[in-house]
Amino acid sequence: MSKEVELKLALPPEALPALRAHPLITAAPIEGADGVLLNTYFDTPGLELRSRKIAVRIRKDGTRWLQTVKCAAASLGGLASRPEWEQAYRDDRFDFSAVDAPEVQQQLESVRSRLAPVFTTTFERQTRRLTPAPGIVILAMIDEGTIEAGGRSSPICELELELVSGDGKDLYALACRLASDLPLRPEDASKAQRGYELYQNLKPAPRRARPVALTAKTEAREAFRLLAYELLAMWQANEALALRLDDPEYVHQSRVALRRLRTLLGLFRGALPKPFTQAWRARFAALANGLGAARDADVVLDTLLAPITTQGPVGTDMQRLVAALEARRDAERVSLRHVEASADRGRAQLEFAAALHVLKPDAELLVAHVARDAMKRVRRDARDSLAEAAAGDVAQLHRLRIVLKRLRYGLDFFASLWPQKVSEYSHALAELQESLGAINDAAMGNRLLGEVAGDDPGLAAARAFTAGWHAPRIAQLRARALTDADALLGSPAPWKKGSAK
């Protein structure tokens, strides 16, 4: 068995000539012969290997046929280390005797007779051997081609950096150097994963935040790294999907990931180097704001205009207002996919992953202490914002919503520390956030529709009608939100000292 350590990067096809002409690539010697690789992936009719996270393929490389078995592995910022078994493929039959992981071999043997082709990948590969520093050897493999399954196809345009000698940080360092000149972004989805999705004709679901198991004795910076890697994976997955599909939820979840990352940095600020926290909080805020325009237009269309237009026939001015906002939304989506904007987000993903990889632990500080102190601090901020909002400060109502969002994200991050106490509190917090979110969406939507309406009297009238249509509901939500917030922030907190497991 060999261990493959690689960093997979995606790029738009129009950037391939610049990649091939990059000085780091052109100065590197050729490794092997450039050529077309033909790959066929096999599984059972019920896709049992996929469910077990095993991939089996045969590859034609020139005149040679190779059999490869791979097992899935967690990807951290695009960096993956997975077991791999490769050998000659002879006599049109699979041979799994060289697979020296007994459980994997047993699973393969149990399905051998039922294996059949599922999908193919065909791509041209150019390989260069890079030695960025003494003792460091990295293969740079440029792949261009297609994935084909069930009469459908999807393009391949990737750069894989495979570590021959050195450390993972060396892969990140090279990737960041290339990304300073090229629109590269880390890609967690393997060719096999994409092939299966194509075979099943699945539209990938948006990647949402997933729980991370911590204990009270987890070292604080290690806890931060675990949580940050999960959010980085969430951001990367949704970013990749948003670049090729129009589902607004991809953009929304990309923005949520960035906001969660910013909150995570704030909660762990006492455990992290100050320059690290300050730099990345500012950068994540700017990146999230860059996604805001497209997301805001979708929210207004869905939550403010659709409830009116789906009730029955509406006037011409309302139809024009909807069309104008849809045009703005579409323009913002195009802007998000612009090569320069995408490249900026890809660089940030790579540089943050590189920073996480080298973040050194601090054994004296445990996550239990960080969690309690951080949550107490956020709840104190929420109480201050509530007091000012109750006194009539409209701006503080918006701040209360933001602080409560930080409180909820914190509960999600640290839920495994207080498993018996979080559920009820978190549920009440989610309902309160829903109300405050609706209030904020109405205010934001009124401003956005004002921009879209401009000096057009008909559009301005449709905007005013929209605000009036929603006004009674928003007034009720506002009155109830203050009462609910007071009750929640006055109730016992799940992070009371001594409750962590």
Side-chain angles (χ1 to χ4, degrees):
M1 178 183 72
S2 62
K3 187 73 95 171
E4 181 185 61
V5 180
E6 67 177 17
L7 180 60
K8 186 188 295 290
L9 306 166
L11 72 161
E14 59 267 30
L16 272 175
L19 172 60
R20 291 178 174 131
H22 194 279
L24 289 176
I25 300 297
T26 57
I30 296 172
E31 180 80 3
D34 295 347
V36 176
L37 300 180
L38 307 176
N39 308 275
T40 302
Y41 287 76
F42 289 76
D43 208 330
T44 67
L47 304 184
E48 293 169 63
L49 290 183
R50 187 188 189 195
S51 68
R52 298 169 184 176
K53 299 184 177 180
I54 300 173
V56 173
R57 75 165 187 234
I58 59 170
R59 165 176 289 176
K60 185 180 181 184
D61 182 2
T63 59
R64 297 186 306 156
W65 285 92
L66 297 174
Q67 169 193 299
T68 304
V69 175
K70 291 187 180 186
C71 293
S75 175
L76 301 177
L79 183 67
S81 177
R82 57 175 62 89
E84 177 182 277
W85 296 267
E86 189 168 80
Q87 65 192 71
Y89 179 74
R90 300 186 179 93
D91 303 323
D92 294 329
R93 63 184 299 273
F94 291 107
D95 177 6
F96 299 128
S97 60
V99 177
D100 55 3
E103 184 178 350
V104 176
Q105 186 187 63
Q106 182 180 5
Q107 292 174 337
L108 290 168
E109 293 291 354
S110 70
V111 300
R112 178 210 298 267
S113 63
R114 294 181 287 123
L115 292 178
V118 178
F119 60 89
T120 63
T121 65
T122 305
F123 53 89
E124 180 182 1
R125 167 165 287 180
Q126 299 176 338
T127 305
R128 301 295 180 267
R129 187 179 185 88
L130 280 70
T131 53
I136 301 172
V137 179
I138 297 171
L139 297 182
M141 294 167 283
I142 304 172
D143 295 343
E144 181 184 18
T146 59
I147 304 171
E148 297 181 354
R152 295 174 291 274
S153 66
S154 179
I156 295 171
C157 190
E158 299 173 347
L159 168 65
E160 290 186 9
L161 301 178
E162 183 175 325
L163 190 66
V164 177
S165 63
D167 184 79
K169 69 178 184 296
D170 302 317
L171 285 178
Y172 280 126
L174 176 59
C176 289
R177 286 176 63 187
L178 290 168
S180 65
D181 302 318
L182 299 162
L184 298 171
R185 57 176 177 79
E187 174 64 83
D188 284 335
S190 66
K191 293 182 181 73
Q193 178 182 331
R194 293 179 58 202
Y196 275 115
E197 289 173 353
L198 194 66
Y199 173 76
Q200 295 178 284
N201 198 23
L202 295 176
K203 178 183 177 182
R207 170 77 178 261
R208 289 177 167 78
R210 300 174 183 175
V212 174
L214 305 173
T215 71
K217 294 184 179 180
T218 304
E219 187 270 323
R221 287 191 183 177
E222 178 60 17
F224 170 79
R225 290 175 77 247
L226 291 171
L227 291 162
Y229 273 130
E230 166 55 32
L231 294 176
L232 179 58
M234 176 184 174
W235 178 23
Q236 288 176 193
N238 288 297
E239 166 82 10
L241 293 168
L243 288 174
R244 60 187 179 90
L245 298 170
D246 283 334
D247 190 332
E249 192 62 18
Y250 299 140
V251 175
H252 175 50
Q253 292 302 323
S254 293
R255 201 177 183 202
V256 168
L258 287 164
R259 286 176 168 174
R260 282 178 174 260
L261 279 166
R262 192 163 184 260
T263 296
L264 185 68
L265 286 163
L267 294 173
F268 277 85
R269 68 190 187 196
L272 300 170
K274 190 174 181 179
F276 178 94
T277 302
Q278 291 179 333
W280 282 106
R281 284 196 79 188
R283 194 164 181 185
F284 289 145
L287 289 164
N289 289 337
L291 297 175
R295 172 61 184 164
D296 289 347
D298 278 317
V299 167
V300 175
L301 285 165
D302 291 343
T303 64
L304 298 185
L305 296 181
I308 297 172
T309 58
T310 55
Q311 290 281 321
V314 296
T316 302
D317 289 333
M318 181 62 72
Q319 294 174 10
R320 290 197 302 122
L321 185 63
V322 171
L325 188 55
E326 287 176 338
R328 172 174 286 211
R329 185 268 317 277
D330 293 344
E332 292 295 343
R333 285 181 178 174
V334 171
S335 178
L336 284 180
R337 291 169 176 166
H338 192 275
V339 171
E340 290 183 6
S342 174
D344 186 40
R345 298 191 296 272
R347 277 191 296 271
Q349 291 169 358
L350 280 170
E351 290 168 7
F352 186 61
L356 289 177
H357 188 80
V358 299
L359 186 64
K360 296 181 180 179
D362 181 356
E364 296 182 1
L365 191 58
L366 300 180
V367 69
H369 302 115
V370 171
R372 279 197 300 269
D373 291 346
M375 297 300 284
K376 286 164 61 177
R377 183 175 68 246
V378 175
R379 191 163 80 151
R380 185 171 58 247
D381 291 346
R383 283 172 169 165
D384 292 343
S385 296
L386 174 61
E388 296 182 27
D393 189 330
V394 176
Q396 283 303 112
L397 190 65
H398 177 59
R399 170 163 173 73
L400 175 64
R401 171 178 168 267
I402 293 173
V403 178
L404 289 176
K405 187 172 289 188
R406 288 162 45 200
L407 194 67
R408 186 180 179 191
Y409 290 165
L411 281 179
D412 289 346
F413 298 151
F414 304 128
S416 58
L417 301 179
W418 316 298
Q420 306 303 320
K421 301 185 177 185
V422 167
S423 179
E424 185 177 345
Y425 196 94
S426 184
H427 180 71
L429 184 54
E431 289 187 341
L432 178 56
Q433 268 195 292
E434 191 76 20
S435 296
L436 291 170
I439 296 168
N440 181 73
D441 289 345
M444 175 275 294
N446 194 42
R447 291 192 300 272
L448 180 56
L449 291 176
E451 295 174 13
V452 171
D455 297 329
D456 187 308
L459 296 184
R463 173 209 179 192
F465 177 84
T466 301
W469 197 90
H470 289 280
R473 176 178 64 92
I474 298 303
Q476 290 178 353
L477 288 175
R478 181 183 172 87
R480 191 176 70 204
L482 294 175
T483 301
D484 290 348
D486 184 58
L488 178 68
L489 296 175
S491 64
W495 52 87
K496 184 178 179 181
K497 190 171 183 179
S499 59
K501 69 173 184 178

